[in-house]
Amino acid sequence: EVRVYETASGKKKTTLSGHAGSVFALKFSPDGKRLYTAGFEGIIRVFDPASGSLQAIFYPVPVTPVRQTAQN
């Protein structure tokens, strides 16, 4: 879970939850209207930090390496 605090007062505004495990990265959008969280399960969640509402979820996509071949 991620706790959002009001910087001026130090009071907790909201708690953001949903990740299956620990969160390892956070990023606010430049306008402060979105908070991106990345969990160790590989999912990125987008929250409205003012209300705590979940706006979007990005799931990992499996990537298969491409085998390179010699070019003529």
Side-chain angles (χ1 to χ4, degrees):
E1 81 183 18
V2 174
R3 291 177 224 133
V4 179
Y5 291 86
E6 178 65 44
T7 55
S9 67
K11 292 183 181 182
K12 184 168 76 167
K13 285 181 71 172
T14 189
T15 300
L16 311 175
S17 59
H19 286 285
S22 298
V23 172
F24 72 88
L26 302 168
K27 173 74 173 159
F28 279 96
S29 63
D31 62 6
K33 294 182 180 180
R34 286 176 296 285
L35 175 61
Y36 302 86
T37 63
F40 278 107
E41 79 273 37
I43 296 173
I44 296 172
R45 295 178 184 274
V46 183
F47 292 93
D48 175 343
S51 68
S53 65
L54 181 64
Q55 303 294 303
I57 301 174
F58 296 93
Y59 294 97
V61 177
V63 177
T64 304
V66 176
R67 189 172 142 192
Q68 294 183 345
T69 59
Q71 295 183 5
N72 295 337

